[in-house]
Amino acid sequence: MTSPTDTRPTHRLSEAGVSIWLDDLSRERLATGNLAALVAEKDVVGVTTNPTIFAAALGTGDAYASALAELAGTDVEAAVERITTDDVREAADVLRPVFDATHAVDGRVSIEVDPRLARDTERTVATAVRLWETVGRPNVMIKIPATLEGLPAITRTLAQGISVNVTLIFSIERYRAVLDAWLAGLEQAQANGHDLAGIGSVASFFVSRVDAAVDAALEKVGTEEALALRGKAAIANARLAYAAYRDVVGSERWAALQGAGAQPQRPLWASTGVKNPEYRDTLYVDELVVAGVVNTMPQATLDAFADHGIVLGDTVTGTADDAAEQIAAIEAQGISLADVTARLETEGVSKFEASWSQLLETTQAGLDAAAFQGGAA
C-alpha cells in the first residue's frame, strides 16, 4: 500500500501520472500471488501479453500441467485459446479493484489476436469479438496490430464497444492513422448506442527496437557525428508521437466524444526493456514521464526502476522541437526513419508469428505427453 510519504520510484512515477503496466503474465505468476503482490508493492495497475510471453510461459515449469491434462485430445488451436483466455480472465479478476477504483481507466489486461491474422481485417475482427466474449470481463483489452489491414479492424472492433490495445506502432505517420481509426471507432460506437465511458484504448508505441535498428545503421556510417547520435532516435520518436497525440486530443472532433463520456486513447510506451547494456537500464522510463500515459515494463525493467528509477517531473511536454531536430540529424546521416520503422513493423509481425508457432508446438507437445500419461495410467 502507498502512503503520502511513499518515496518508492514506482510510486513517484504513478504520482507523475504514468500508469505502470507489467509486460508479462503466466499461470505461475497468478498461482503464487505474484501479480497481486506487484499491484500492492510496485504500483502495477495493468498487464499486457503477447505471443512471445505466452510461449515462454508454456515452455517453462509445470504450472500448466493440469490444464494440459484436462485438455488432452483437444485441438491445439482451441487448447491455446482456452489456456491464454483463462490466464487473462484470472489476471483481469486480480486487477478488477483497480479497474473499479480508476473508473475503467486502469486495471486492464490485454490479449492479442492470432498474429497470423495481422494482414486479414475480417478475421481479426471476428477473433477480437470471440476473445472479448470468451474472457468475459469488462477490463480486458484486445490487442490488434497497427498494420494497414489492422486499421479498419481497430475501428470496427471499437464500434462494437470492445476495448482495444493497438500494438506494433513504430512510425508517427502510422500512429496518426491509428488515432484516426480510434476516433472513427468511438464515433461508430456512439452511433451504435454503446456507452463510451467503458471503452478503453491504448496505442502501444514501441521504443527500444527503434534505437536498436537506428544505432546499427549509425554504426555502419561510423563517423564521430553519427556515433554521437546513438541512443537518441527512440526517445525522440516517442516524444514526437506524444506531440501527435496532443494535437488530436486538442481537436474539436475529440472534444465532442469526450463530452459524450469517452476516454482518451492513451499513448503506451512498449518495448521499454533496454537492449544496449551501455545505456541506463531505466532509460525508456525515466525519459518518457508525462501525465496520462502508460509504460508497460518487463519484469527486469520494473525491478530496475523500482530500485533506482529517476522521476524528475515531466520529461516529454515541450520537447517536440528538439526531438524533430534529433530525427533530422539522424536522417542527415543517410538513414531513413520511415524505412527503419516499416522494416520494424514487418519484423514485429514475423517475430510474433514465430512465437505463435512456438506456442502451438509447445502446447501440442504438452497435450501429447498428457494423453500418453493418461493412456498409460
Side-chain angles (χ1 to χ4, degrees):
M1 299 294 291
T2 59
S3 70
T5 58
D6 199 325
T7 60
R8 292 177 299 177
T10 53
H11 180 62
R12 294 203 304 272
L13 186 64
S14 298
E15 289 292 294
V18 178
S19 293
I20 300 170
W21 290 9
L22 176 70
D23 192 29
D24 191 52
L25 183 63
S26 67
R27 192 150 300 184
E28 180 180 6
R29 193 182 287 281
L30 290 163
T32 60
N34 173 264
L35 178 58
L38 292 176
V39 173
E41 299 167 8
K42 291 188 177 177
D43 303 277
V44 168
V45 292
V47 170
T48 50
T49 69
N50 60 45
T52 303
I53 286 169
F54 279 127
L58 265 291
T60 305
D62 58 0
Y64 293 92
S66 61
L68 290 167
E70 179 185 345
L71 293 167
T74 303
D75 172 75
V76 67
E77 302 267 357
V80 164
E81 186 164 308
R82 168 70 179 278
I83 288 168
T84 56
T85 54
D86 282 354
D87 280 2
V88 168
R89 185 182 305 107
E90 185 172 346
D93 289 344
V94 171
L95 286 158
R96 182 59 186 265
V98 175
F99 178 76
D100 292 338
T102 61
H103 305 289
V105 174
D106 282 312
R108 299 280 186 170
V109 183
S110 297
I111 184 170
E112 189 158 347
V113 297
D114 182 339
R116 297 172 299 181
L117 307 180
R119 309 293 180 187
D120 188 327
T121 302
E122 295 296 328
R123 292 177 68 195
T124 291
V125 175
T127 302
V129 172
R130 188 177 71 248
L131 290 173
W132 173 263
E133 293 176 345
T134 300
V135 175
R137 297 294 187 271
N139 51 329
V140 71
M141 279 185 167
I142 309 301
K143 288 181 81 172
I144 298 175
T147 57
L148 289 175
E149 298 83 358
L151 295 173
I154 292 160
T155 296
R156 288 171 53 185
T157 302
L158 287 164
Q160 297 186 59
I162 296 172
S163 297
V164 173
N165 176 339
V166 184
T167 190
L168 287 177
I169 308 172
F170 295 96
S171 74
I172 306 302
E173 179 184 14
R174 183 59 55 81
Y175 180 41
R176 289 187 182 279
V178 166
L179 286 163
D180 185 68
W182 159 66
L183 290 170
L186 288 185
E187 288 162 349
Q188 291 179 28
Q190 184 179 28
N192 291 338
H194 292 289
D195 180 4
L196 300 187
I199 304 175
S201 188
V202 293
S204 297
F205 201 86
F206 279 51
V207 185
S208 67
R209 294 189 194 184
V210 174
D211 266 349
V214 171
D215 285 1
L218 290 168
E219 287 164 7
K220 284 185 178 180
V221 175
T223 64
E224 184 176 344
E225 183 180 10
L227 295 177
L229 292 167
R230 288 178 298 178
K232 306 294 185 184
I235 296 296
N237 198 43
R239 287 172 172 172
L240 289 173
Y242 182 77
Y245 163 74
R246 292 304 309 170
D247 286 344
V248 169
V249 296
S251 69
E252 292 183 4
R253 186 181 181 190
W254 164 243
L257 289 165
Q258 186 178 37
Q263 299 181 35
Q265 183 190 62
R266 291 180 293 170
L268 180 151
W269 310 130
S271 183
T272 56
V274 174
K275 293 177 169 52
N276 187 334
E278 295 179 10
Y279 299 158
R280 191 169 70 255
D281 57 2
T282 58
L283 174 67
Y284 303 123
V285 184
D286 300 344
E287 297 297 331
L288 292 172
V289 176
V290 61
V293 303
V294 178
N295 195 307
T296 184
M297 309 177 202
Q299 183 73 58
T301 302
L302 176 62
D303 290 344
F305 191 84
D307 180 68
H308 53 264
I310 300 170
V311 182
L312 297 176
D314 188 335
T315 55
V316 177
T317 303
T319 62
D321 289 344
D322 286 343
E325 289 178 7
Q326 290 180 332
I327 297 299
I330 289 167
E331 296 198 323
Q333 301 299 314
I335 299 166
S336 167
L337 191 60
D339 289 347
V340 169
T341 54
R343 185 176 76 250
L344 286 171
E345 178 185 300
T346 300
E347 291 175 353
V349 172
S350 295
K351 287 177 180 177
F352 280 168
E353 287 177 344
S355 294
W356 193 262
S357 295
Q358 181 185 348
L359 174 58
L360 291 173
E361 291 170 6
T362 301
T363 303
Q364 186 64 66
L367 293 171
D368 292 344
F372 176 78
Q373 290 171 1

